Amino acid sequence: MAHKNQNNYSPYKARQEARKKDGKSAAQAPSNQGRHKKPETIYELHEANDRLADVFRNHGFDMVSHEQRLKLAHFYRLLMLNQEKENFTRLLKLRDIAIKHFIDSIIILKHTELKFPLIDVGTGPGFPGIPLKIMFPEEKILLGEGVQRRVEFLKHVRSEMKLKNLDIIGRNINKHFVYPVNGVITRAVEDIGNTLGNVISCLNIGGRVYFMKGPGVDPEIEMAKKNWGEYYKLVQNVPYTLPQTPHERRLVVYEKIKHMPLPEDDEGEELLMDELSGDEKRRWSAYR
């Protein structure tokens, strides 16, 4: 997930406009509009695991081992239990979470090879970063998120699930963020060009940016070529569909080919250093 860009098309706003055209005013909206929706059922761990197995099998999704699926079931429970006080996802049924969060986060591994350390920009409650961490328990993954309540949830998930080598960066990722990584991933609501600019200082030469987008992304690709072609080249543009569903997706991957001069001010370094552990600060100092 990524932070919304006001210039982007918003399906939610489109639905609201359609309702207005149908003569449905805001005053006619349901009385519970804006409240946190709660799941009707939160399955216990082993039942959730069994139900995930059924969904994955029925959708021809065979990439997840039993151990990995059990961890996804644990994450499902933490997400739904948190929904009692927060509203991090509109998906409340296990089947929907399995398809539109878990499969959606992992299926790109059929189409590309990730580079690590990998940062998930605008991860929200942990997508795709947490499912990918479950798939790659030994690899270094960072979760970048600027909303504090989401940051606290991510720390809770890391602790409860005992996820190692997972750093949580409690700030928005922008050109001042300079901790070196070889991969950037985002389920991107934000425009491609904006994200390429935001990660230009942290991504190493030869590193890749993985955009998990919807099908109508061609205008963004054209603008990114115009504005960022000096620094990035497009290396993959793969259309695919979530298995056994009508949900179309596009994986768009860029490789960094040239450095841009680092920002001259110290704002980025100061903000970054506040987020890092002692070992990470030493690695950062060596990089500088």
Side-chain angles (χ1 to χ4, degrees), residues 117-120 140-144 166-169 177 179 181:
L118 176 76
I119 184 168
D120 178 6
K140 179 75 165 183
I141 293 182
L142 301 90
L143 306 179
L166 179 69
D167 291 346
I168 297 167
I169 308 299
F177 184 80
Y179 183 79
V181 297

Side-chain angles (χ1 to χ4, degrees), residues 79-281:
L79 188 64
M80 291 297 95
L81 290 170
N82 180 79
Q83 196 74 10
E84 295 288 327
K85 62 178 180 178
E86 299 289 356
N87 193 27
F88 290 158
T89 178
R90 61 182 178 82
L91 305 178
L92 303 178
K93 295 181 179 180
L94 186 143
R95 179 181 179 276
D96 292 336
I97 292 170
I99 296 171
K100 297 181 181 179
H101 279 330
F102 295 163
I103 292 178
D104 194 32
S105 293
I106 297 170
I107 196 172
I108 63 163
L109 302 179
K110 288 182 177 286
H111 303 293
T112 196
E113 182 176 348
L114 298 179
K115 292 192 173 187
F116 300 92
L118 176 76
I119 184 168
D120 178 6
V121 174
T123 188
F127 297 108
I130 297 294
L132 290 176
K133 184 60 191 173
I134 291 170
M135 300 298 290
F136 296 97
E138 302 303 320
E139 297 287 0
K140 179 75 165 183
I141 293 182
L142 301 90
L143 306 179
E145 176 54 50
V147 179
Q148 189 59 35
R149 61 191 179 90
R150 296 174 184 166
V151 171
E152 294 305 314
F153 172 69
L154 293 170
K155 291 179 178 178
H156 175 65
V157 170
R158 178 176 61 183
S159 175
E160 288 291 314
M161 296 183 62
K162 297 180 172 56
L163 299 174
K164 306 297 184 182
N165 218 11
L166 179 69
D167 291 346
I168 297 167
I169 308 299
R171 55 163 290 190
N172 293 326
I173 305 303
N174 56 32
K175 66 180 181 179
H176 297 290
F177 184 80
V178 287
Y179 183 79
V181 297
N182 292 322
V184 176
I185 195 165
T186 179
R187 289 173 80 187
V189 175
E190 184 179 59
D191 181 84
I192 283 177
N194 289 354
T195 300
L196 292 177
N198 286 335
V199 303
I200 188 70
S201 300
C202 69
L203 188 65
N204 291 327
I205 294 292
R208 294 195 169 187
V209 190
Y210 307 89
F211 290 94
M212 303 167 68
K213 300 286 275 185
V217 72
D218 292 315
E220 293 183 33
I221 294 174
E222 289 299 316
M223 288 302 297
K225 181 178 180 180
K226 177 181 178 181
N227 296 330
W228 292 101
E230 181 180 357
Y231 300 98
Y232 296 94
K233 66 177 179 179
L234 179 66
V235 293
Q236 282 186 280
N237 183 0
V238 182
Y240 62 97
T241 303
L242 299 186
Q244 309 300 322
T245 80
H247 306 307
E248 297 179 349
R249 299 288 188 266
R250 189 92 69 89
L251 173 66
V252 182
V253 183
Y254 289 85
E255 183 173 304
K256 185 176 175 181
I257 57 177
K258 180 180 177 182
H259 277 310
M260 175 181 279
L262 290 174
E264 294 182 359
D265 59 74
D266 295 328
E267 175 192 3
E269 183 170 348
E270 292 175 0
L271 287 171
L272 173 66
M273 296 301 277
D274 288 342
E275 300 290 340
L276 299 181
S277 67
D279 288 343
E280 290 163 341
K281 288 178 181 178

